[in-house]
Amino acid sequence: MSAHEHAAAHPVHRNYVMIWAILVGLLVISVAGPFLGIRVVTLITAFGIALVKAYMVAKNFMHLDVEKPIIHWLLAIILVLMVLLFSGLAPDVMKDSGRNWKKDAGFHTLPPAAEHAVTDKHDHGAKNH
Amino acid sequence: MSAHTIATTRSAMGIPTGRLAVWWVLCSEIVIFGGILVSYIMHRLGHPEWGHQAAHTNLWIGAFNTLVLLSSSLSAVLAHQAAEQGNGPKAARLLFATIGGGATFLTVKGFEWTEEITHGMTIQSGGFWSYYYTAAGIHATHVLAGMVIMVFIAMAALKNRDLHRVELVGIYWHFVDIVWIFLFPLLYIAK
């Protein structure tokens, strides 16, 4: 009898209150982390602990550990698609230069003259109304 | 004539159809939230100046709401446990407690947004705020949807009907909790 068949026949009993208490403890650490003022520690306590908390909720509250393999496959495929989305789009968004274009400094912001033009246009529009 | 739906009586690939459907829904939700979060992370890495905008979010409010959602997940899973034991009324009470958690979350969020908007931080105030209101807004909509569904399931559970649905709405609720677990550090801690 596999793990999930066993779980289906015998409902899983866990100490949910204890799991919740651990999650709250992890939350406290993730809130306290930034107060140390060390960037690496903040990253670990914020995002590292978020991963641990998400895993704990999925495993213990959603009972993913005793779910059928097809569900694991479904989720894995979707998560791989997320990684593909990231790796496909990241060069466009994050890199300053590409094969067919070049994003100079200030690519995402309007030059001061253009900003004034937009502001003036808005002001004129407001006065006309 | 039976009043049971197909999802109650049929099983596909060894999984009750209702539960399989919930997992399919969650897969599409992963695409929705995953897309938003991945897009936010990419832009955030490309715009270090967004940190100045993020500095205005209130860490304590975010932490309190995280605690509320984690606690509501506890009551949701305890409701599932009660349903497994055939105790519909207890499952219903725990589901109503979960709904209370959702209501607390949304109320706090309402006050938080009112404060931010009255201080001029709107969805048009910059790239960070656009993502902030979009991601948190879509998440809050999911919280509200879960609460509405839970009301119907709790009302049925009070009469010991369709207790398997307690687990289904619980799986959805835990997913909404997981999304917030990632939104919290992204929007409130990374400054």
Side-chain angles (χ1 to χ4, degrees):
Chain A
M1 184 182 273
S2 66
H4 55 263
E5 284 167 342
H6 179 83
H10 309 281
V12 185
H13 294 291
R14 309 172 203 234
N15 190 342
Y16 293 117
V17 177
M18 177 63 77
I19 293 160
W20 171 81
I22 294 170
L23 287 167
V24 173
L26 290 172
L27 169 64
V28 171
I29 295 170
S30 64
V31 171
F35 289 98
L36 293 175
I38 305 167
R39 188 175 167 80
V40 177
V41 174
T42 301
L43 284 174
I44 292 170
T45 55
F47 298 103
I49 284 181
L51 284 171
V52 174
K53 280 193 291 187
Y55 171 77
M56 285 183 69
V57 171
K59 176 179 180 283
N60 297 299
F61 288 175
M62 299 170 92
H63 301 127
L64 200 53
D65 55 339
V66 291
E67 192 53 272
K68 298 273 185 186
I70 183 74
I71 302 298
H72 296 176
W73 280 106
L74 270 177
L75 295 173
I77 289 167
I78 294 295
L79 290 173
V80 167
L81 285 174
M82 280 297 100
V83 174
L84 283 177
L85 173 73
F86 181 89
S87 42
L89 292 178
D92 271 0
V93 177
M94 297 166 66
K95 292 283 183 185
D96 286 333
S97 58
R99 189 188 297 174
N100 299 317
W101 70 91
K102 188 174 171 65
K103 289 189 232 171
D104 296 321
F107 176 85
H108 291 291
T109 52
L110 291 171
E115 272 186 10
H116 283 302
V118 171
T119 313
D120 291 346
K121 193 177 171 187
H122 277 221
D123 288 345
H124 274 293
K127 280 172 192 167
N128 290 340
H129 287 290
Chain B
M1 186 178 157
S2 169
H4 282 158
T5 57
I6 287 172
T8 311
T9 55
R10 199 174 65 179
S11 171
M13 288 177 286
I15 306 171
T17 318
R19 199 166 85 219
L20 183 61
V22 170
W23 282 112
W24 270 114
V25 168
L26 294 194
C27 283
S28 67
E29 297 283 358
I30 288 173
V31 176
I32 294 170
F33 284 107
I36 292 172
L37 294 185
V38 164
S39 172
Y40 171 73
I41 291 167
M42 284 191 291
H43 282 91
R44 182 67 198 271
L45 291 174
H47 296 272
E49 73 276 11
W50 284 15
H52 300 300
Q53 297 170 32
H56 293 285
T57 58
N58 191 318
L59 173 68
W60 299 108
I61 291 179
F64 176 76
N65 262 349
T66 309
L67 175 65
V68 168
L69 275 194
L70 286 175
S71 304
S72 70
S73 260
L74 172 67
S75 55
V77 79
L78 290 176
H80 172 206
Q81 194 177 44
E84 274 185 343
Q85 292 162 354
N87 192 342
K90 185 181 177 185
R93 281 196 299 276
L94 286 160
L95 281 184
F96 282 123
T98 309
I99 293 167
T104 306
F105 178 89
L106 292 180
T107 305
V108 170
K109 198 121 253 330
F111 279 110
E112 181 190 20
W113 279 21
T114 304
E115 177 77 5
E116 285 160 354
I117 290 168
T118 51
H119 281 81
M121 292 168 278
T122 67
I123 197 168
Q124 293 177 309
S125 299
F128 170 79
W129 292 108
S130 296
Y131 273 107
Y132 172 81
Y133 285 110
T134 303
I138 291 175
H139 177 265
T141 308
H142 281 75
V143 170
L144 185 61
M147 288 164 62
V148 172
I149 296 165
M150 236 177 258
V151 168
F152 288 100
I153 293 176
M155 297 300 283
L158 271 176
K159 300 168 193 163
N160 266 321
R161 277 177 36 216
D162 294 326
L163 290 183
H164 69 286
R165 290 181 180 171
V166 176
E167 178 189 16
L168 307 188
V169 77
I171 292 173
Y172 170 85
W173 194 259
H174 302 313
F175 173 78
V176 173
D177 187 14
I178 287 176
V179 171
W180 184 257
I181 283 172
F182 287 111
L183 282 178
F184 171 57
L186 284 170
L187 301 178
Y188 293 88
I189 295 181
K191 296 185 174 180

